[in-house]
Amino acid sequence: MTLQDTWWKSLKHPEQERPWGEYEILLDEKDVKVKRIRVKPNSRLSYQYHEKRREQWVVVKGNLTIVLDDEKVFRTPGESIHIPLGARHRAWNETDKNVEFIEVQTGTYFGEDDIIRIEDDFNRISK
């Protein structure tokens, strides 16, 4: 690891591990939050929605399956999808290699407690 790599890593937020993979916060400001999200093979995030934010996802590695308001769609590197405020959505890796995408959140609040889970493979359903 070079000195520049060490310096850059010290500026970044630590990765947050989850049962489905991990995410890293790249930018966290009052009006925007940006995450790099990695989804492990054959894993998926909860089917969820948000009341205070919308999201834009850009795939950077692998083939991402997305469920958006009960419709299954697919995105490959360089492609994106808009997740409107209140839309039910899920990121899903149906492949045997990691999938990575950048998530840009805009809205009025970006806390993890604005995740309302409808379905979850890890028993984290919102009450």
Side-chain angles (χ1 to χ4, degrees):
M1 185 178 292
T2 67
L3 182 58
Q4 183 179 6
D5 292 336
T6 303
W7 172 81
W8 177 247
K9 191 162 185 73
S10 72
L11 294 178
K12 299 190 318 183
H13 297 269
E15 293 178 346
Q16 301 291 316
E17 291 190 26
R18 295 293 185 263
W20 45 262
E22 62 191 16
Y23 72 86
E24 174 184 3
I25 299 170
L26 303 176
L27 178 66
D28 192 359
E29 296 187 357
K30 180 182 175 195
D31 56 350
V32 65
K33 186 177 224 177
V34 179
K35 294 180 178 179
R36 177 191 323 245
I37 299 175
R38 289 183 194 95
V39 186
K40 295 188 289 192
N42 301 301
S43 293
R44 60 188 184 173
L45 284 68
S46 46
Y47 194 42
Q48 58 186 258
Y49 66 93
H50 310 288
E51 295 179 333
K52 299 178 182 173
R53 68 176 180 246
R54 67 197 61 77
E55 298 171 348
Q56 185 77 24
W57 297 352
V58 179
V59 177
V60 294
K61 192 179 293 181
N63 298 311
L64 181 64
T65 300
I66 300 141
V67 179
L68 181 58
D69 285 330
D70 298 326
E71 181 182 344
K72 195 183 232 190
V73 295
F74 306 91
R75 295 293 185 272
T76 58
E79 296 182 325
S80 65
I81 189 166
H82 177 70
I83 311 295
L85 182 71
R88 295 166 302 174
H89 60 281
R90 164 179 266 161
W92 190 348
N93 180 357
E94 295 185 292
T95 74
D96 60 357
K97 295 182 180 174
N98 283 340
V99 171
E100 187 174 311
F101 64 98
I102 302 298
E103 174 182 273
V104 179
Q105 302 173 4
T106 55
T108 59
Y109 179 73
F110 309 114
E112 292 295 301
D113 56 340
D114 186 38
I115 299 173
I116 297 95
R117 291 182 174 90
I118 303 161
E119 295 176 8
D120 184 70
D121 295 343
F122 310 101
N123 299 314
R124 302 172 300 165
I125 300 296
S126 300
K127 304 263 185 237

